[in-house]
Amino acid sequence: MRLAPHLRAIFNVEGNFLPNIDYGVAISRGVRILSTSPVFAEPVAEAALGMALDLARGISRSDRYFRQGSEKYGLDANRNAYSLHRQHLGFIGFGDLGRAIVPLLAPFHPTIKAYDPWLPPEYIESMGCQAATLQEVLTSSKIVFVVAGVTAQNQGLLNREAFLSMPAGAALVLVSRAAVVDFEAMLDVAATGHIRVATDVFPQEPLPLEHRARKGDNLLLSPHQAGALAQTLAQIGVMVTADAELIARGLPPCLCKIAQPETVTLWRSQPVEHS
């Protein structure tokens, strides 16, 4: 940065604040650090809703049974299914992604509790949700959306005890980063049938062919595709160009997420190696 005295901004177009910038120096020099992460909120929200519906209603499970010739019909096929209507739902994390999912749930008229230690209760309540502790979200929600980014404070936050504290048959939708959970413990508890899990992210990507998750029960697997739409990636250029023009005019950016000095060094996301 000493070689670029006129530098005004750095855009991270992958969507995360990564440990590849000296944030302290950048902020002290008045250099804006911006992320295009908000662009992924809507497409990932759509995928998360689809995963929740699948886990609740057993759509892909019934498809597998049908292809194996072991399908059941009518009520017999729905013995363990439940509706999203008037359901108790929960969020772990309530950033851009959580706020994009909530409007999609509105037609189901659910009760929603959200846990996010970086947000005041008043903010969560302004979105029509109830601010709650982590334990309250886990123990009272039939479906939990895990949408928290990985930080120094929450790596492995959801462990075996957390998964076992969820109601029997509850569903967990993981669409943020795998490091937020103890992935092996999650697979263990899912294998017992206590919870159902949908995940779009994995500790290692691509997932090794021999990984146990590929053969696990009560799992819905998605290869980190939730946000990777062509129209979404094209929108990144629109966001960067618009904010760069604002900065060039001496105005603050408004589309990208701005790194905050209080939290930016706490992020622990890893670069996406395969996209």
Side-chain angles (χ1 to χ4, degrees):
M1 280 183 276
R2 284 196 300 269
L3 299 177
H6 303 294
L7 182 64
R8 305 280 295 281
I10 299 174
F11 291 86
N12 187 317
V13 296
E14 185 188 56
N16 295 288
F17 291 120
L18 301 174
N20 56 2
I21 296 173
D22 190 328
Y23 291 100
V25 170
I27 292 170
S28 69
R29 290 173 174 263
V31 178
R32 303 261 194 183
I33 311 296
L34 302 112
S35 165
T36 57
S37 61
V39 77
F40 295 106
E42 287 186 354
V44 176
E46 291 178 351
L49 176 59
M51 291 176 178
L53 287 166
D54 189 294
L55 292 181
R57 298 299 303 274
I59 299 168
S60 61
R61 182 187 65 237
S62 291
D63 176 76
R64 290 194 299 272
Y65 290 165
F66 216 108
R67 295 172 189 276
Q68 297 166 5
S70 57
E71 77 276 8
K72 298 179 180 180
Y73 288 81
L75 182 60
D76 284 342
N78 283 323
R79 293 293 180 185
N80 297 315
Y82 47 85
S83 173
L84 264 66
H85 282 279
R86 294 166 293 281
Q87 193 58 263
H88 290 273
L89 309 179
F91 282 83
I92 296 175
F94 204 67
D96 295 331
L97 181 50
R99 294 191 297 271
I101 296 174
V102 167
L104 302 184
L105 298 172
F108 299 101
H109 305 288
T111 298
I112 301 175
K113 293 182 179 179
Y115 166 74
D116 193 320
W118 286 9
L119 295 174
E122 292 80 6
Y123 184 88
I124 293 173
E125 291 162 5
S126 73
M127 295 293 295
C129 304
Q130 301 173 19
T133 65
L134 176 62
Q135 194 62 20
E136 287 171 340
V137 169
L138 291 170
T139 58
S140 67
S141 303
K142 196 67 172 180
I143 301 174
V144 174
F145 296 91
V146 182
V147 294
V150 183
T151 73
Q153 301 168 340
N154 70 6
Q155 294 182 82
L157 175 69
L158 300 182
N159 55 22
R160 184 183 305 274
E161 290 71 25
F163 299 128
L164 290 173
S165 72
M166 298 173 66
L172 183 135
V173 179
L174 175 59
V175 286
S176 53
R177 285 293 184 268
V180 176
V181 308
D182 180 334
F183 207 83
E184 293 302 315
M186 182 182 74
L187 297 180
D188 288 342
V189 177
T192 69
H194 183 71
I195 62 172
R196 312 167 189 182
V197 172
T199 182
D200 185 54
V201 291
F202 302 88
Q204 182 181 349
E205 298 177 6
L207 189 70
L209 292 176
E210 67 277 8
H211 198 283
R212 60 184 287 211
R214 293 182 182 273
K215 300 179 177 63
D217 292 329
N218 298 308
L219 296 174
L220 176 64
L221 308 178
S222 170
H224 208 150
Q225 70 184 66
L229 294 176
Q231 66 199 69
T232 300
L233 300 180
Q235 187 64 22
I236 290 175
V238 175
M239 293 176 64
V240 170
T241 301
D243 274 354
E245 289 179 348
L246 287 173
I247 293 170
R249 293 166 51 199
L251 297 171
C254 65
L255 296 180
C256 295
K257 178 176 287 187
I258 302 172
Q260 301 297 336
E262 296 85 354
T263 57
V264 69
T265 58
L266 297 176
W267 293 107
R268 293 293 184 271
S269 292
Q270 297 298 314
V272 176
E273 296 182 5
H274 193 275
S275 177

